[in-house]
């Protein structure tokens, strides 16, 4: 009887997961995609529902930072290629040159919107080590310092929430990017949605991350205190260090929206990346010692 109940429970859970996955897949399938540097969002009700990813083919201008004013005309400048985002330019061939993960470029996408749309914003997370974002010829966001080499570039690999002009029917989105710090560039998803919803999503994620980090921090200090009370037993020491390493990882990783910035807004992006990488490497030997 007990085995039958367990099997029924497992099948129920698998059924729920399958239904949710199919629903999610169907929902994403109906979303518009960018084609040749243009995405039409006029058929999407942006007043409700989740954010929409700006996925598809963007215009790519390789190894140059094209001025944003050149995209204000009816026809954008001739492109060097198209880049599918989210995706990578690694392995693409432009003018007989096979691209590696390192390089600089300008990305362009034209957005067509309903004039009655609510206040909207873009959400970018970990979108290239350095970027500058222009909307209709105006600089609206900057992360890190662009460059044509690692010496010129300053990495800042965090979250960006970019408000969009309200009531505009057409938005010319120009993003100048460079990557000379990471082995592979990070053309991650950019989403558009209601400003309030994107801000709330960020707040929920940071709150969850802070709760997790706080729990790990308490456990870490508690076990270090046990070790100080009985130093012959090394197990609490390793467990305390293990918890503190995971605390630093949670606070600095991109998936938590780099929650440490709640207390240290000017934290260098390169420092945060090295922190979570070091913690992820160190937890295995510390767990083994425990």
């Amino acid at each position: 009887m007990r085995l039958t109940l367990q099997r029924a429970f497992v099948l129920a859970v698998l059924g729920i997961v399958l239904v949710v996955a199919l629903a999610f897949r169907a929902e994403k399938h109906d979303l518009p995609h960018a084609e040749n540097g243009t995405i039409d969002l006029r058929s999407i009700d942006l007043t409700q529902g989740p954010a929409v990813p700006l996925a598809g083919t963007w215009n790519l201008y390789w190894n140059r930072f094209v001025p944003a004013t050149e995209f204000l005309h009816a026809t954008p400048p001739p492109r060097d290629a198209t880049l599918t985002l989210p995706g990578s330019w690694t392995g693409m061939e432009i003018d007989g040159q096979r691209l590696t993960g390192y390089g600089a470029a300008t990305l362009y996408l034209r957005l067509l919107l309903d004039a009655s749309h609510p206040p909207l914003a873009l959400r970018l997370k970990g979108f290239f080590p350095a970027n500058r974002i222009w909307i209709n010829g105006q600089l609206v966001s900057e992360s890190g310092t662009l460059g044509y080499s690692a010496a010129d570039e300053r990495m800042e690999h965090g979250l960006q929430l970019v408000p969009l002009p309200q009531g505009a029917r057409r938005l010319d989105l120009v993003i100048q990017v460079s990557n000379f710090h990471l082995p592979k560039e990070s053309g991650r998803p950019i989403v558009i949605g209601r400003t309030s919803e994107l801000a709330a999503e960020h707040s929920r994620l940071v709150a969850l991350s802070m709760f997790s980090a706080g729990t790990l921090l308490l456990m870490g200090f508690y076990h270090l205190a046990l070790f100080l009370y009985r130093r012959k037993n090394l197990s609490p020491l390793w467990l305390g260090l293990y918890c503190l390493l995971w605390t630093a990882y949670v606070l600095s990783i991109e998936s938590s929206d780099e929650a440490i910035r709640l207390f240290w807004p000017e934290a260098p992006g390169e420092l945060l990346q090295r922190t979570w990488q070091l913690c992820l490497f160190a937890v295995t030997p510390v767990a083994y010692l425990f």
Side-chain angles (χ1 to χ4, degrees), residues 23 59 71 110 131 159 204 239 256 273:
N59 287 359
F71 295 92
R110 175 165 293 175
N131 67 70
L159 171 73
R204 289 192 295 267
L239 183 56
S256 71
Q273 185 189 29

Side-chain angles (χ1 to χ4, degrees), residues 133-154:
I133 303 174
W134 306 75
I135 300 289
N136 293 346
Q138 300 293 321
L139 180 64
V140 294
S141 181
E142 187 171 7
S143 178
T145 302
L146 293 174
Y148 289 103
S149 67
D152 298 332
E153 180 186 84
R154 182 178 65 84

Side-chain angles (χ1 to χ4, degrees), residues 20-185:
V20 172
L22 290 176
F24 180 77
R25 182 179 179 183
E27 179 185 5
K28 294 297 181 183
H29 180 73
D30 294 335
L31 295 177
H33 276 65
E35 295 183 4
N36 297 317
T38 301
I39 185 169
D40 191 346
L41 300 174
R42 290 173 292 188
S43 61
I44 299 296
D45 184 8
L46 295 172
T47 61
Q48 299 178 359
V52 178
L54 300 181
T57 53
W58 292 47
N59 287 359
L60 173 68
Y61 303 83
W62 179 247
N63 202 32
R64 52 189 171 131
F65 302 131
V66 183
T69 52
E70 296 190 16
F71 295 92
L72 298 179
H73 307 291
T75 303
R79 65 196 178 208
D80 296 321
T82 59
L83 176 64
T84 301
L85 292 180
S88 168
W89 65 47
T90 302
M92 292 178 56
E93 188 170 322
I94 297 180
D95 295 332
Q97 175 190 3
R98 186 167 294 276
L99 306 185
T100 65
Y102 301 109
T106 299
L107 305 174
Y108 170 73
L109 182 67
R110 175 165 293 175
L111 288 75
L112 303 179
L113 301 167
D114 192 324
S116 61
H117 63 75
L120 299 175
L122 299 178
R123 174 183 168 92
L124 302 86
K125 185 162 65 172
F127 191 79
F128 291 90
N131 67 70
R132 279 200 301 252
I133 303 174
W134 306 75
I135 300 289
N136 293 346
Q138 300 293 321
L139 180 64
V140 294
S141 181
E142 187 171 7
S143 178
T145 302
L146 293 174
Y148 289 103
S149 67
D152 298 332
E153 180 186 84
R154 182 178 65 84
M155 177 180 174
E156 190 63 48
H157 212 235
L159 171 73
Q160 294 169 268
L161 292 177
V162 183
L164 300 178
Q166 190 169 358
R169 293 179 177 271
R170 189 187 89 182
L171 297 177
D172 291 302
L173 174 59
V174 178
I175 308 181
Q176 300 165 341
V177 300
S178 68
N179 172 53
F180 291 95
H181 280 83
L182 303 177
K184 187 175 182 179
E185 82 286 1

